[in-house]
mmCIF file of all heavy atoms in Angstrom:
data_model
loop_
_atom_site.group_PDB
_atom_site.id
_atom_site.type_symbol
_atom_site.label_atom_id
_atom_site.label_comp_id
_atom_site.label_asym_id
_atom_site.label_seq_id
_atom_site.Cartn_x
_atom_site.Cartn_y
_atom_site.Cartn_z
ATOM 1 N N PRO Q 20 4.361 1.159 -10.685
ATOM 2 C CA PRO Q 20 5.766 1.210 -10.244
ATOM 3 C C PRO Q 20 6.712 0.400 -11.128
ATOM 4 O O PRO Q 20 7.884 0.727 -11.229
ATOM 5 C CB PRO Q 20 5.720 0.628 -8.830
ATOM 6 C CG PRO Q 20 4.316 0.768 -8.385
ATOM 7 C CD PRO Q 20 3.474 0.702 -9.618
ATOM 8 N N ASP Q 21 6.200 -0.635 -11.785
ATOM 9 C CA ASP Q 21 7.039 -1.445 -12.671
ATOM 10 C C ASP Q 21 7.354 -0.745 -13.988
ATOM 11 O O ASP Q 21 8.237 -1.172 -14.724
ATOM 12 C CB ASP Q 21 6.342 -2.773 -12.998
ATOM 13 C CG ASP Q 21 6.138 -3.628 -11.766
ATOM 14 O OD1 ASP Q 21 6.851 -3.425 -10.757
ATOM 15 O OD2 ASP Q 21 5.253 -4.500 -11.804
ATOM 16 N N LEU Q 22 6.607 0.336 -14.276
ATOM 17 C CA LEU Q 22 6.774 1.046 -15.548
ATOM 18 C C LEU Q 22 7.226 2.488 -15.383
ATOM 19 O O LEU Q 22 7.750 3.083 -16.314
ATOM 20 C CB LEU Q 22 5.452 1.020 -16.332
ATOM 21 C CG LEU Q 22 4.862 -0.354 -16.641
ATOM 22 C CD1 LEU Q 22 3.479 -0.214 -17.260
ATOM 23 C CD2 LEU Q 22 5.792 -1.137 -17.556
ATOM 24 N N HIS Q 23 6.995 3.071 -14.214
ATOM 25 C CA HIS Q 23 7.304 4.485 -13.987
ATOM 26 C C HIS Q 23 8.815 4.688 -13.857
ATOM 27 O O HIS Q 23 9.496 3.917 -13.182
ATOM 28 C CB HIS Q 23 6.598 4.978 -12.717
ATOM 29 C CG HIS Q 23 6.522 6.468 -12.641
ATOM 30 N ND1 HIS Q 23 7.577 7.237 -12.218
ATOM 31 C CD2 HIS Q 23 5.516 7.320 -12.949
ATOM 32 C CE1 HIS Q 23 7.228 8.514 -12.263
ATOM 33 N NE2 HIS Q 23 5.980 8.590 -12.704
ATOM 34 N N PRO Q 24 9.361 5.739 -14.474
ATOM 35 C CA PRO Q 24 10.813 5.947 -14.432
ATOM 36 C C PRO Q 24 11.366 6.374 -13.073
ATOM 37 O O PRO Q 24 12.561 6.256 -12.831
ATOM 38 C CB PRO Q 24 11.044 7.044 -15.472
ATOM 39 C CG PRO Q 24 9.735 7.716 -15.637
ATOM 40 C CD PRO Q 24 8.680 6.706 -15.324
ATOM 41 N N ARG Q 25 10.514 6.835 -12.166
ATOM 42 C CA ARG Q 25 11.053 7.376 -10.916
ATOM 43 C C ARG Q 25 10.531 6.694 -9.645
ATOM 44 O O ARG Q 25 11.271 6.552 -8.691
ATOM 45 C CB ARG Q 25 10.757 8.872 -10.856
ATOM 46 C CG ARG Q 25 11.370 9.526 -9.665
ATOM 47 C CD ARG Q 25 11.403 11.011 -9.789
ATOM 48 N NE ARG Q 25 11.938 11.599 -8.567
ATOM 49 C CZ ARG Q 25 11.948 12.853 -8.308
ATOM 50 N NH1 ARG Q 25 11.464 13.697 -9.178
ATOM 51 N NH2 ARG Q 25 12.437 13.308 -7.187
ATOM 52 N N TYR Q 26 9.267 6.326 -9.605
ATOM 53 C CA TYR Q 26 8.665 5.821 -8.368
ATOM 54 C C TYR Q 26 8.411 4.325 -8.467
ATOM 55 O O TYR Q 26 7.645 3.871 -9.315
ATOM 56 C CB TYR Q 26 7.365 6.583 -8.076
ATOM 57 C CG TYR Q 26 7.603 8.067 -7.990
ATOM 58 C CD1 TYR Q 26 7.130 8.921 -8.976
ATOM 59 C CD2 TYR Q 26 8.330 8.612 -6.939
ATOM 60 C CE1 TYR Q 26 7.366 10.288 -8.911
ATOM 61 C CE2 TYR Q 26 8.584 9.975 -6.867
ATOM 62 C CZ TYR Q 26 8.087 10.807 -7.859
ATOM 63 O OH TYR Q 26 8.336 12.144 -7.784
ATOM 64 N N HIS Q 27 9.029 3.561 -7.551
ATOM 65 C CA HIS Q 27 9.010 2.106 -7.652
ATOM 66 C C HIS Q 27 8.497 1.427 -6.388
ATOM 67 O O HIS Q 27 8.821 0.275 -6.140
ATOM 68 C CB HIS Q 27 10.408 1.591 -7.998
ATOM 69 C CG HIS Q 27 10.996 2.276 -9.186
ATOM 70 N ND1 HIS Q 27 10.544 2.062 -10.473
ATOM 71 C CD2 HIS Q 27 11.965 3.209 -9.281
ATOM 72 C CE1 HIS Q 27 11.230 2.820 -11.300
ATOM 73 N NE2 HIS Q 27 12.091 3.538 -10.617
ATOM 74 N N TYR Q 28 7.686 2.097 -5.585
ATOM 75 C CA TYR Q 28 7.148 1.459 -4.383
ATOM 76 C C TYR Q 28 5.715 1.014 -4.656
ATOM 77 O O TYR Q 28 4.985 1.621 -5.430
ATOM 78 C CB TYR Q 28 7.240 2.390 -3.172
ATOM 79 C CG TYR Q 28 6.596 3.743 -3.324
ATOM 80 C CD1 TYR Q 28 5.318 3.982 -2.833
ATOM 81 C CD2 TYR Q 28 7.274 4.801 -3.942
ATOM 82 C CE1 TYR Q 28 4.724 5.236 -2.960
ATOM 83 C CE2 TYR Q 28 6.687 6.050 -4.075
ATOM 84 C CZ TYR Q 28 5.415 6.256 -3.587
ATOM 85 O OH TYR Q 28 4.827 7.486 -3.719
ATOM 86 N N ASN Q 29 5.311 -0.086 -4.033
ATOM 87 C CA ASN Q 29 4.032 -0.728 -4.342
ATOM 88 C C ASN Q 29 2.819 0.167 -4.092
ATOM 89 O O ASN Q 29 1.815 0.048 -4.771
ATOM 90 C CB ASN Q 29 3.902 -2.028 -3.553
ATOM 91 C CG ASN Q 29 2.773 -2.881 -4.094
ATOM 92 O OD1 ASN Q 29 2.630 -3.039 -5.303
ATOM 93 N ND2 ASN Q 29 1.961 -3.419 -3.202
ATOM 94 N N ALA Q 30 2.899 1.070 -3.109
ATOM 95 C CA ALA Q 30 1.765 1.941 -2.789
ATOM 96 C C ALA Q 30 1.660 3.135 -3.742
ATOM 97 O O ALA Q 30 0.735 3.927 -3.630
ATOM 98 C CB ALA Q 30 1.868 2.439 -1.349
ATOM 99 N N PHE Q 31 2.583 3.261 -4.694
ATOM 100 C CA PHE Q 31 2.546 4.382 -5.642
ATOM 101 C C PHE Q 31 1.367 4.225 -6.597
ATOM 102 O O PHE Q 31 1.209 3.197 -7.243
ATOM 103 C CB PHE Q 31 3.850 4.449 -6.438
ATOM 104 C CG PHE Q 31 3.819 5.460 -7.557
ATOM 105 C CD1 PHE Q 31 3.771 6.817 -7.287
ATOM 106 C CD2 PHE Q 31 3.813 5.055 -8.880
ATOM 107 C CE1 PHE Q 31 3.718 7.756 -8.303
ATOM 108 C CE2 PHE Q 31 3.770 5.979 -9.913
ATOM 109 C CZ PHE Q 31 3.726 7.325 -9.614
ATOM 110 N N ILE Q 32 0.508 5.260 -6.672
ATOM 111 C CA ILE Q 32 -0.593 5.258 -7.646
ATOM 112 C C ILE Q 32 -0.653 6.576 -8.410
ATOM 113 O O ILE Q 32 -1.659 6.899 -9.013
ATOM 114 C CB ILE Q 32 -1.966 4.961 -6.996
ATOM 115 C CG1 ILE Q 32 -2.266 5.981 -5.916
ATOM 116 C CG2 ILE Q 32 -2.057 3.542 -6.516
ATOM 117 C CD1 ILE Q 32 -3.724 6.110 -5.631
ATOM 118 N N GLY Q 33 0.422 7.342 -8.374
ATOM 119 C CA GLY Q 33 0.452 8.617 -9.077
ATOM 120 C C GLY Q 33 0.571 8.445 -10.576
ATOM 121 O O GLY Q 33 0.591 7.344 -11.100
ATOM 122 N N GLY Q 34 0.650 9.568 -11.251
ATOM 123 C CA GLY Q 34 0.776 9.535 -12.705
ATOM 124 C C GLY Q 34 -0.569 9.375 -13.369
ATOM 125 O O GLY Q 34 -1.359 10.309 -13.418
ATOM 126 N N ILE Q 35 -0.860 8.184 -13.845
ATOM 127 C CA ILE Q 35 -2.108 7.933 -14.578
ATOM 128 C C ILE Q 35 -2.901 6.852 -13.855
ATOM 129 O O ILE Q 35 -2.517 5.687 -13.835
ATOM 130 C CB ILE Q 35 -1.818 7.486 -16.025
ATOM 131 C CG1 ILE Q 35 -0.920 8.497 -16.725
ATOM 132 C CG2 ILE Q 35 -3.130 7.293 -16.790
ATOM 133 C CD1 ILE Q 35 -0.280 7.977 -17.988
ATOM 134 N N LEU Q 36 -4.008 7.261 -13.255
ATOM 135 C CA LEU Q 36 -4.899 6.343 -12.552
ATOM 136 C C LEU Q 36 -6.301 6.522 -13.114
ATOM 137 O O LEU Q 36 -6.845 7.623 -13.095
ATOM 138 C CB LEU Q 36 -4.904 6.632 -11.044
ATOM 139 C CG LEU Q 36 -5.872 5.793 -10.214
ATOM 140 C CD1 LEU Q 36 -5.388 4.341 -10.121
ATOM 141 C CD2 LEU Q 36 -6.027 6.386 -8.818
ATOM 142 N N LEU Q 37 -6.875 5.469 -13.628
ATOM 143 C CA LEU Q 37 -8.249 5.513 -14.122
ATOM 144 C C LEU Q 37 -9.164 5.034 -13.005
ATOM 145 O O LEU Q 37 -8.957 3.955 -12.453
ATOM 146 C CB LEU Q 37 -8.417 4.608 -15.348
ATOM 147 C CG LEU Q 37 -7.523 4.920 -16.540
ATOM 148 C CD1 LEU Q 37 -7.729 3.887 -17.644
ATOM 149 C CD2 LEU Q 37 -7.800 6.314 -17.068
ATOM 150 N N ILE Q 38 -10.148 5.849 -12.676
ATOM 151 C CA ILE Q 38 -11.066 5.488 -11.603
ATOM 152 C C ILE Q 38 -12.468 5.931 -11.992
ATOM 153 O O ILE Q 38 -12.658 7.037 -12.500
ATOM 154 C CB ILE Q 38 -10.618 6.099 -10.250
ATOM 155 C CG1 ILE Q 38 -11.538 5.636 -9.122
ATOM 156 C CG2 ILE Q 38 -10.496 7.603 -10.321
ATOM 157 C CD1 ILE Q 38 -10.988 5.940 -7.735
ATOM 158 N N LYS Q 39 -13.421 5.054 -11.779
ATOM 159 C CA LYS Q 39 -14.806 5.380 -12.110
ATOM 160 C C LYS Q 39 -15.393 6.320 -11.072
ATOM 161 O O LYS Q 39 -14.964 6.363 -9.920
ATOM 162 C CB LYS Q 39 -15.636 4.101 -12.186
ATOM 163 C CG LYS Q 39 -15.270 3.251 -13.374
ATOM 164 C CD LYS Q 39 -16.206 2.083 -13.504
ATOM 165 C CE LYS Q 39 -15.894 1.342 -14.788
ATOM 166 N NZ LYS Q 39 -16.821 0.242 -15.002
ATOM 167 N N ARG Q 40 -16.380 7.046 -11.507
ATOM 168 C CA ARG Q 40 -17.041 8.034 -10.655
ATOM 169 C C ARG Q 40 -17.504 7.426 -9.329
ATOM 170 O O ARG Q 40 -17.307 7.998 -8.275
ATOM 171 C CB ARG Q 40 -18.211 8.631 -11.415
ATOM 172 C CG ARG Q 40 -18.996 9.625 -10.641
ATOM 173 C CD ARG Q 40 -20.186 10.120 -11.421
ATOM 174 N NE ARG Q 40 -20.461 11.473 -11.018
ATOM 175 C CZ ARG Q 40 -21.094 12.348 -11.730
ATOM 176 N NH1 ARG Q 40 -21.518 12.048 -12.918
ATOM 177 N NH2 ARG Q 40 -21.297 13.553 -11.273
ATOM 178 N N GLU Q 41 -18.147 6.259 -9.374
ATOM 179 C CA GLU Q 41 -18.681 5.669 -8.148
ATOM 180 C C GLU Q 41 -17.586 5.322 -7.143
ATOM 181 O O GLU Q 41 -17.774 5.426 -5.941
ATOM 182 C CB GLU Q 41 -19.557 4.438 -8.432
ATOM 183 C CG GLU Q 41 -18.820 3.255 -9.013
ATOM 184 C CD GLU Q 41 -19.025 3.054 -10.510
ATOM 185 O OE1 GLU Q 41 -19.413 4.001 -11.214
ATOM 186 O OE2 GLU Q 41 -18.789 1.932 -10.966
ATOM 187 N N HIS Q 42 -16.408 4.932 -7.646
ATOM 188 C CA HIS Q 42 -15.304 4.637 -6.733
ATOM 189 C C HIS Q 42 -14.698 5.920 -6.160
ATOM 190 O O HIS Q 42 -14.309 5.967 -5.002
ATOM 191 C CB HIS Q 42 -14.225 3.805 -7.434
ATOM 192 C CG HIS Q 42 -14.709 2.437 -7.791
ATOM 193 N ND1 HIS Q 42 -14.512 1.893 -9.035
ATOM 194 C CD2 HIS Q 42 -15.395 1.514 -7.081
ATOM 195 C CE1 HIS Q 42 -15.048 0.688 -9.072
ATOM 196 N NE2 HIS Q 42 -15.599 0.444 -7.897
ATOM 197 N N PHE Q 43 -14.643 6.955 -6.992
ATOM 198 C CA PHE Q 43 -14.118 8.245 -6.530
ATOM 199 C C PHE Q 43 -15.013 8.802 -5.425
ATOM 200 O O PHE Q 43 -14.539 9.310 -4.416
ATOM 201 C CB PHE Q 43 -14.018 9.216 -7.710
ATOM 202 C CG PHE Q 43 -13.172 10.422 -7.443
ATOM 203 C CD1 PHE Q 43 -11.799 10.319 -7.352
ATOM 204 C CD2 PHE Q 43 -13.762 11.671 -7.289
ATOM 205 C CE1 PHE Q 43 -11.007 11.434 -7.103
ATOM 206 C CE2 PHE Q 43 -12.978 12.792 -7.049
ATOM 207 C CZ PHE Q 43 -11.603 12.669 -6.950
ATOM 208 N N ILE Q 44 -16.317 8.680 -5.602
ATOM 209 C CA ILE Q 44 -17.274 9.136 -4.588
ATOM 210 C C ILE Q 44 -17.173 8.265 -3.333
ATOM 211 O O ILE Q 44 -17.204 8.764 -2.209
ATOM 212 C CB ILE Q 44 -18.706 9.137 -5.161
ATOM 213 C CG1 ILE Q 44 -18.823 10.229 -6.222
ATOM 214 C CG2 ILE Q 44 -19.744 9.323 -4.070
ATOM 215 C CD1 ILE Q 44 -20.097 10.172 -7.044
ATOM 216 N N GLN Q 45 -17.022 6.957 -3.529
ATOM 217 C CA GLN Q 45 -16.919 6.008 -2.410
ATOM 218 C C GLN Q 45 -15.790 6.373 -1.451
ATOM 219 O O GLN Q 45 -15.935 6.238 -0.242
ATOM 220 C CB GLN Q 45 -16.718 4.598 -2.963
ATOM 221 C CG GLN Q 45 -16.574 3.524 -1.913
ATOM 222 C CD GLN Q 45 -16.309 2.155 -2.538
ATOM 223 O OE1 GLN Q 45 -16.404 1.951 -3.744
ATOM 224 N NE2 GLN Q 45 -15.968 1.206 -1.691
ATOM 225 N N VAL Q 46 -14.666 6.856 -1.980
ATOM 226 C CA VAL Q 46 -13.517 7.186 -1.121
ATOM 227 C C VAL Q 46 -13.469 8.674 -0.757
ATOM 228 O O VAL Q 46 -12.500 9.139 -0.175
ATOM 229 C CB VAL Q 46 -12.178 6.754 -1.755
ATOM 230 C CG1 VAL Q 46 -12.149 5.252 -1.978
ATOM 231 C CG2 VAL Q 46 -11.894 7.496 -3.045
ATOM 232 N N ASN Q 47 -14.518 9.414 -1.116
ATOM 233 C CA ASN Q 47 -14.619 10.854 -0.851
ATOM 234 C C ASN Q 47 -13.567 11.654 -1.610
ATOM 235 O O ASN Q 47 -13.036 12.652 -1.128
ATOM 236 C CB ASN Q 47 -14.552 11.159 0.654
ATOM 237 C CG ASN Q 47 -14.944 12.594 0.965
ATOM 238 O OD1 ASN Q 47 -15.671 13.232 0.210
ATOM 239 N ND2 ASN Q 47 -14.446 13.108 2.071
ATOM 240 N N GLY Q 48 -13.231 11.209 -2.795
ATOM 241 C CA GLY Q 48 -12.285 11.940 -3.630
ATOM 242 C C GLY Q 48 -10.909 12.035 -3.004
ATOM 243 O O GLY Q 48 -10.491 11.163 -2.251
ATOM 244 N N MET Q 49 -10.235 13.107 -3.311
ATOM 245 C CA MET Q 49 -8.888 13.336 -2.788
ATOM 246 C C MET Q 49 -8.931 14.383 -1.688
ATOM 247 O O MET Q 49 -9.847 15.189 -1.616
ATOM 248 C CB MET Q 49 -7.951 13.774 -3.919
ATOM 249 C CG MET Q 49 -7.806 12.709 -4.989
ATOM 250 S SD MET Q 49 -6.676 13.181 -6.299
ATOM 251 C CE MET Q 49 -5.120 12.723 -5.550
ATOM 252 N N SER Q 50 -7.910 14.388 -0.862
ATOM 253 C CA SER Q 50 -7.793 15.363 0.222
ATOM 254 C C SER Q 50 -7.688 16.776 -0.337
ATOM 255 O O SER Q 50 -7.103 17.003 -1.393
ATOM 256 C CB SER Q 50 -6.542 15.052 1.044
ATOM 257 O OG SER Q 50 -6.269 16.099 1.940
ATOM 258 N N ASN Q 51 -8.234 17.734 0.389
ATOM 259 C CA ASN Q 51 -8.141 19.146 0.009
ATOM 260 C C ASN Q 51 -6.944 19.830 0.662
ATOM 261 O O ASN Q 51 -6.755 21.035 0.503
ATOM 262 C CB ASN Q 51 -9.417 19.890 0.426
ATOM 263 C CG ASN Q 51 -10.660 19.300 -0.207
ATOM 264 O OD1 ASN Q 51 -10.608 18.771 -1.304
ATOM 265 N ND2 ASN Q 51 -11.764 19.372 0.496
ATOM 266 N N LYS Q 52 -6.145 19.083 1.395
ATOM 267 C CA LYS Q 52 -5.028 19.683 2.122
ATOM 268 C C LYS Q 52 -3.753 19.782 1.298
ATOM 269 O O LYS Q 52 -2.762 20.314 1.759
ATOM 270 C CB LYS Q 52 -4.760 18.889 3.396
ATOM 271 C CG LYS Q 52 -5.909 19.013 4.389
ATOM 272 C CD LYS Q 52 -5.597 18.352 5.696
ATOM 273 C CE LYS Q 52 -6.748 18.577 6.669
ATOM 274 N NZ LYS Q 52 -6.493 17.979 7.961
ATOM 275 N N TYR Q 53 -3.778 19.268 0.079
ATOM 276 C CA TYR Q 53 -2.570 19.262 -0.754
ATOM 277 C C TYR Q 53 -2.613 20.378 -1.777
ATOM 278 O O TYR Q 53 -3.512 20.435 -2.605
ATOM 279 C CB TYR Q 53 -2.420 17.910 -1.456
ATOM 280 C CG TYR Q 53 -2.150 16.804 -0.479
ATOM 281 C CD1 TYR Q 53 -3.190 16.171 0.180
ATOM 282 C CD2 TYR Q 53 -0.854 16.428 -0.172
ATOM 283 C CE1 TYR Q 53 -2.953 15.176 1.101
ATOM 284 C CE2 TYR Q 53 -0.602 15.439 0.747
ATOM 285 C CZ TYR Q 53 -1.647 14.817 1.381
ATOM 286 O OH TYR Q 53 -1.396 13.840 2.302
ATOM 287 N N TRP Q 54 -1.646 21.251 -1.700
ATOM 288 C CA TRP Q 54 -1.472 22.335 -2.667
ATOM 289 C C TRP Q 54 -0.035 22.236 -3.143
ATOM 290 O O TRP Q 54 0.868 21.965 -2.368
ATOM 291 C CB TRP Q 54 -1.751 23.687 -2.015
ATOM 292 C CG TRP Q 54 -3.200 23.868 -1.670
ATOM 293 C CD1 TRP Q 54 -3.862 23.307 -0.615
ATOM 294 C CD2 TRP Q 54 -4.158 24.626 -2.387
ATOM 295 N NE1 TRP Q 54 -5.177 23.675 -0.627
ATOM 296 C CE2 TRP Q 54 -5.388 24.490 -1.709
ATOM 297 C CE3 TRP Q 54 -4.107 25.418 -3.520
ATOM 298 C CZ2 TRP Q 54 -6.544 25.116 -2.129
ATOM 299 C CZ3 TRP Q 54 -5.256 26.039 -3.942
ATOM 300 C CH2 TRP Q 54 -6.467 25.892 -3.252
ATOM 301 N N GLY Q 55 0.192 22.457 -4.416
ATOM 302 C CA GLY Q 55 1.528 22.236 -4.944
ATOM 303 C C GLY Q 55 1.641 20.796 -5.388
ATOM 304 O O GLY Q 55 0.658 20.136 -5.705
ATOM 305 N N TRP Q 56 2.841 20.278 -5.369
ATOM 306 C CA TRP Q 56 3.089 18.948 -5.900
ATOM 307 C C TRP Q 56 3.581 18.030 -4.800
ATOM 308 O O TRP Q 56 4.391 18.407 -3.962
ATOM 309 C CB TRP Q 56 4.132 19.057 -7.013
ATOM 310 C CG TRP Q 56 4.544 17.746 -7.588
ATOM 311 C CD1 TRP Q 56 3.892 17.022 -8.532
ATOM 312 C CD2 TRP Q 56 5.708 17.003 -7.253
ATOM 313 N NE1 TRP Q 56 4.567 15.870 -8.805
ATOM 314 C CE2 TRP Q 56 5.703 15.836 -8.028
ATOM 315 C CE3 TRP Q 56 6.757 17.199 -6.377
ATOM 316 C CZ2 TRP Q 56 6.688 14.868 -7.961
ATOM 317 C CZ3 TRP Q 56 7.750 16.251 -6.295
ATOM 318 C CH2 TRP Q 56 7.712 15.096 -7.090
ATOM 319 N N GLY Q 57 3.089 16.809 -4.783
ATOM 320 C CA GLY Q 57 3.648 15.770 -3.938
ATOM 321 C C GLY Q 57 2.772 15.268 -2.818
ATOM 322 O O GLY Q 57 2.067 16.026 -2.158
ATOM 323 N N LEU Q 58 2.772 13.962 -2.649
ATOM 324 C CA LEU Q 58 2.157 13.200 -1.566
ATOM 325 C C LEU Q 58 0.649 13.037 -1.650
ATOM 326 O O LEU Q 58 0.092 12.199 -0.955
ATOM 327 C CB LEU Q 58 2.547 13.764 -0.193
ATOM 328 C CG LEU Q 58 4.039 13.794 0.118
ATOM 329 C CD1 LEU Q 58 4.279 14.471 1.453
ATOM 330 C CD2 LEU Q 58 4.621 12.398 0.103
ATOM 331 N N GLU Q 59 -0.041 13.802 -2.478
ATOM 332 C CA GLU Q 59 -1.495 13.671 -2.566
ATOM 333 C C GLU Q 59 -1.905 12.291 -3.051
ATOM 334 O O GLU Q 59 -2.916 11.738 -2.606
ATOM 335 C CB GLU Q 59 -2.109 14.757 -3.456
ATOM 336 C CG GLU Q 59 -1.895 14.603 -4.948
ATOM 337 C CD GLU Q 59 -0.485 14.929 -5.434
ATOM 338 O OE1 GLU Q 59 0.305 15.545 -4.688
ATOM 339 O OE2 GLU Q 59 -0.177 14.561 -6.576
ATOM 340 N N ASP Q 60 -1.131 11.696 -3.933
ATOM 341 C CA ASP Q 60 -1.456 10.369 -4.437
ATOM 342 C C ASP Q 60 -1.211 9.288 -3.386
ATOM 343 O O ASP Q 60 -1.933 8.293 -3.327
ATOM 344 C CB ASP Q 60 -0.721 10.066 -5.744
ATOM 345 C CG ASP Q 60 0.756 10.389 -5.693
ATOM 346 O OD1 ASP Q 60 1.227 10.933 -4.679
ATOM 347 O OD2 ASP Q 60 1.448 10.098 -6.671
ATOM 348 N N ASP Q 61 -0.213 9.476 -2.532
ATOM 349 C CA ASP Q 61 0.033 8.513 -1.454
ATOM 350 C C ASP Q 61 -1.143 8.495 -0.480
ATOM 351 O O ASP Q 61 -1.567 7.433 -0.014
ATOM 352 C CB ASP Q 61 1.324 8.838 -0.705
ATOM 353 C CG ASP Q 61 2.565 8.615 -1.556
ATOM 354 O OD1 ASP Q 61 2.480 7.891 -2.575
ATOM 355 O OD2 ASP Q 61 3.621 9.163 -1.206
ATOM 356 N N GLU Q 62 -1.676 9.660 -0.173
ATOM 357 C CA GLU Q 62 -2.827 9.739 0.719
ATOM 358 C C GLU Q 62 -4.045 9.126 0.031
ATOM 359 O O GLU Q 62 -4.845 8.424 0.664
ATOM 360 C CB GLU Q 62 -3.098 11.200 1.106
ATOM 361 C CG GLU Q 62 -3.827 11.380 2.425
ATOM 362 C CD GLU Q 62 -5.337 11.270 2.342
ATOM 363 O OE1 GLU Q 62 -5.895 11.436 1.237
ATOM 364 O OE2 GLU Q 62 -5.954 11.021 3.380
ATOM 365 N N PHE Q 63 -4.180 9.337 -1.266
ATOM 366 C CA PHE Q 63 -5.297 8.762 -2.013
ATOM 367 C C PHE Q 63 -5.209 7.237 -2.037
ATOM 368 O O PHE Q 63 -6.225 6.535 -1.947
ATOM 369 C CB PHE Q 63 -5.346 9.320 -3.437
ATOM 370 C CG PHE Q 63 -6.597 8.976 -4.176
ATOM 371 C CD1 PHE Q 63 -7.830 9.440 -3.738
ATOM 372 C CD2 PHE Q 63 -6.556 8.195 -5.315
ATOM 373 C CE1 PHE Q 63 -8.997 9.118 -4.426
ATOM 374 C CE2 PHE Q 63 -7.715 7.878 -6.005
ATOM 375 C CZ PHE Q 63 -8.936 8.340 -5.554
ATOM 376 N N TYR Q 64 -4.004 6.694 -2.117
ATOM 377 C CA TYR Q 64 -3.808 5.241 -2.055
ATOM 378 C C TYR Q 64 -4.400 4.688 -0.753
ATOM 379 O O TYR Q 64 -5.070 3.650 -0.760
ATOM 380 C CB TYR Q 64 -2.324 4.884 -2.161
ATOM 381 C CG TYR Q 64 -2.057 3.417 -1.946
ATOM 382 C CD1 TYR Q 64 -2.224 2.498 -2.986
ATOM 383 C CD2 TYR Q 64 -1.655 2.942 -0.708
ATOM 384 C CE1 TYR Q 64 -2.000 1.150 -2.792
ATOM 385 C CE2 TYR Q 64 -1.424 1.585 -0.506
ATOM 386 C CZ TYR Q 64 -1.597 0.701 -1.542
ATOM 387 O OH TYR Q 64 -1.373 -0.645 -1.342
#
């Protein structure tokens, strides 16, 4: 949020997030309910 031109809230993790495989599996990946653009990263946070 300190570097992104548009999103400045602390829970923002969109854009570029590096995550290891074991952590991605640990959180069960991302939701399958998001199609199109928006909010999927907030849910992932």
Side-chain angles (χ1 to χ4, degrees):
D21 296 339
L22 303 173
H23 197 279
R25 185 164 177 188
Y26 303 110
H27 308 288
Y28 55 98
N29 194 44
F31 172 68
I32 58 157
I35 306 164
L36 176 71
L37 301 176
I38 184 167
K39 291 186 174 183
R40 178 183 210 157
E41 66 257 21
H42 293 133
F43 195 72
I44 291 169
Q45 179 183 350
V46 299
N47 192 25
M49 298 182 84
S50 170
N51 301 329
K52 293 186 177 181
Y53 293 84
W54 291 77
W56 176 82
L58 301 176
E59 73 286 345
D60 48 355
D61 292 341
E62 205 276 339
F63 191 64
Y64 174 82

